[in-house]
Amino acid sequence: MAMDFGSFDVHAMKRDHADGTGRVAGLRGGAPRALATEAVHAGRDDLAGQGLHAPPIDLSTTYPSYDSRGEAARIDAFATDGAEPDGPPVYARLGNPTVSRFETALARLEGTESAVAFASGMAALSAVLLVRNSMGLRHVVAVRPLYGCSDHLLTAGLLGSEVTWVDPAGIEAALRPDTGLVLVESPANPTLAEIDLRAVAHACGSVPLLVDNTFATPVLQRPAEQGARLVLHSATKYLGGHGDVMAGVVACDEEFAGRLRQVRFATGGVLHPLAGYLLLRGLSTLPVRVRAASANAAELVDRLAADPRVARVHYPRIGGAMVAFEVEGDPHAVIAAVRLVTPAVSLGSVDTLIQHPASISHRIVDADDRRGSGVGDRLLRLSVGLEDVDDLWADLDQALEAGHAAVSGEVSREAVAER
Ligand SMILES: *Cc1c(COP(=O)(O)O)cnc(C)c1O
């Protein structure tokens, strides 16, 4: 039984998760507040002064104004640098006050000047690529594995990008005059491979580094502090946290944010205000959810690592609630047999999900490229939720048994599928 990244100390990690006192630099001159404080207060600072407690949801698509000269000036300002208009937006595609609250809060948590929200994680990544492509910087240097659809978007060249795939050590040598972006995920989806972000940021020189921080969340890792210019989230996952919102967001400096707002305005991938509301609400429990789910995950890692039906467990040094493991038995039979755990793609919800990356999340990646980046056919990806850990283990234990039986011939595949 082999354990990836074998040197981490699960018990120390559980302790770290239990106090979670990461501080976030005060961006607006105030004293730095702890992450847990920002999570429940950022984006809401004005509410008490307005006599409100819950943030209002603004569903307006348009905003009345009797001052059309003033509106013209605000549109000109937006066209120049993409700054959010002072006062109400002109039209909802330019911005929305409820969505802005979520953007403000996420920027605080990631320690960036700004953040720009989109209709999905893929819309957010597309906007970043469009910003760079529009400057003639179409070349992207990227490290596999990435989320399957991010890989596909680059490999298929759907937005006109050209990608060079490298190992982290090969980034510097791969840079060209037309390189507009370096793209990495750490921990990566689905293998949980980690990258030294500080070293990678250094290798990028003046080329913007985008780190997809969906798996770690700002609770475990703030890539901007390590030199990333752009931090991307599929907010569909941990930020929303309940499996009921689709969204994406890029945290970055205000200059890049302005370009992203202009692309969002012109291409229309805006986030709905109800989704913005739910995301702001989700952020307030993010630190608590991530720490509790991570403690569950660390316990399951111990049990999986000691189990003869499991060939290999992947778990990142920084911890988190994602676990990947390779089974000795039939991974499809394991998926077919879970009962408490939900067999579904996606991750980051309060409930535990399991999926087979080679069949689902990374199906769209060419099979050789997929296997070459460590996404084997026996790999399963588990997104650990907030259930009782013994209940989770009981379900995984019987599912592993079904996977084992399917291979050793005690139960036919058909019988497993019918159970
Ligand atoms: C899901 C995911 C995405 C894509 O996000 P959507 O919200 O589904 O568009 C991007 N990166 C990672 C790491 C993901 O897990």
Side-chain angles (χ1 to χ4, degrees), residues 212-289:
D212 186 326
N213 203 31
T214 300
F215 273 34
T217 81
V219 178
L220 300 178
Q221 166 177 283
R222 285 183 285 279
E225 289 173 356
Q226 301 184 53
R229 183 161 180 204
L230 304 157
V231 181
L232 183 134
H233 284 273
S234 168
T236 312
K237 315 295 170 52
Y238 287 100
L239 305 189
H242 296 73
D244 54 6
V245 193
M246 178 154 270
V249 63
V250 180
C252 57
D253 53 88
E254 174 54 24
E255 188 193 335
F256 207 107
R259 300 285 165 263
L260 288 171
R261 285 188 210 104
Q262 289 172 332
V263 165
R264 183 177 64 180
F265 171 64
T267 59
V270 293
L271 185 66
H272 193 274
L274 282 173
Y277 176 87
L278 287 170
L279 288 168
L280 186 67
R281 180 163 137 150
L283 286 186
S284 55
T285 54
L286 180 71
V288 175
R289 284 187 283 109

Side-chain angles (χ1 to χ4, degrees), residues 128-138 259 263:
V128 172
L129 293 173
L130 289 171
V131 165
R132 301 307 279 166
N133 289 357
S134 70
M135 300 167 80
L137 303 170
R138 296 175 166 276
R259 300 285 165 263
V263 165

Side-chain angles (χ1 to χ4, degrees), residues 50-371:
Q50 293 190 52
L52 295 173
H53 189 226
I57 304 175
D58 181 342
L59 293 171
S60 305
T61 55
T62 190
Y63 293 83
S65 168
Y66 294 98
D67 175 14
S68 39
R69 280 195 196 84
E71 288 218 323
R74 285 169 31 219
I75 291 169
D76 287 350
F78 183 81
T80 306
D81 58 10
E84 285 203 293
D86 290 332
V90 176
Y91 184 61
R93 199 154 23 73
L94 262 95
N96 171 274
T98 310
V99 172
S100 301
R101 290 182 185 280
F102 163 65
E103 293 171 330
T104 301
L106 195 266
R108 286 294 198 104
L109 296 181
E110 286 289 1
T112 58
E113 274 180 310
S114 304
V116 185
F118 294 88
S120 68
M122 292 315 301
L125 178 57
S126 297
V128 172
L129 293 173
L130 289 171
V131 165
R132 301 307 279 166
N133 289 357
S134 70
M135 300 167 80
L137 303 170
R138 296 175 166 276
H139 181 237
V140 177
V141 174
V143 176
R144 278 190 168 123
L146 294 180
Y147 169 66
C149 201
S150 304
D151 187 315
H152 171 65
L153 180 62
L154 294 171
T155 305
L158 292 176
L159 295 176
S161 311
E162 179 198 341
V163 62
T164 302
W165 298 103
V166 294
D167 289 332
I171 288 175
E172 199 166 350
L175 299 179
R176 310 191 317 211
D178 65 338
T179 306
L181 193 70
V182 174
L183 176 49
V184 303
E185 273 178 31
S186 184
N189 186 350
T191 61
L192 305 175
E194 286 174 289
I195 291 176
D196 179 345
L197 296 180
R198 216 173 278 281
V200 164
H202 187 256
C204 291
S206 61
V207 177
L209 169 64
L210 183 152
V211 175
D212 186 326
N213 203 31
T214 300
F215 273 34
T217 81
V219 178
L220 300 178
Q221 166 177 283
R222 285 183 285 279
E225 289 173 356
Q226 301 184 53
R229 183 161 180 204
L230 304 157
V231 181
L232 183 134
H233 284 273
S234 168
T236 312
K237 315 295 170 52
Y238 287 100
L239 305 189
H242 296 73
D244 54 6
V245 193
M246 178 154 270
V249 63
V250 180
C252 57
D253 53 88
E254 174 54 24
E255 188 193 335
F256 207 107
R259 300 285 165 263
L260 288 171
R261 285 188 210 104
Q262 289 172 332
V263 165
R264 183 177 64 180
F265 171 64
T267 59
V270 293
L271 185 66
H272 193 274
L274 282 173
Y277 176 87
L278 287 170
L279 288 168
L280 186 67
R281 180 163 137 150
L283 286 186
S284 55
T285 54
L286 180 71
V288 175
R289 284 187 283 109
V290 168
R291 285 200 297 275
S294 299
N296 268 354
E299 179 60 36
L300 292 176
V301 164
D302 277 353
R303 297 189 192 185
L304 289 166
D307 196 299
R309 296 163 300 183
V310 175
R312 197 172 178 86
V313 181
H314 304 262
Y315 191 62
R317 284 179 214 278
I318 63 163
M322 298 300 299
V323 178
F325 59 98
E326 288 156 48
V327 289
E328 296 284 2
D330 178 355
H332 302 285
V334 175
I335 296 281
V338 289
R339 289 294 173 267
L340 176 63
V341 175
T342 302
V345 74
S346 199
L347 56 116
S349 187
V350 287
D351 58 321
T352 301
L353 308 181
I354 194 168
Q355 65 111 12
H356 182 236
S359 298
I360 307 188
S361 64
H362 290 68
R363 188 71 190 171
I364 201 163
V365 180
D366 171 78
D368 288 338
D369 292 338
R370 189 169 65 225
R371 292 191 189 108

Side-chain angles (χ1 to χ4, degrees), residues 23-40:
R23 298 232 155 228
V24 178
L27 283 174
R28 286 167 186 79
R33 299 195 291 195
L35 186 96
T37 307
E38 292 289 7
V40 293

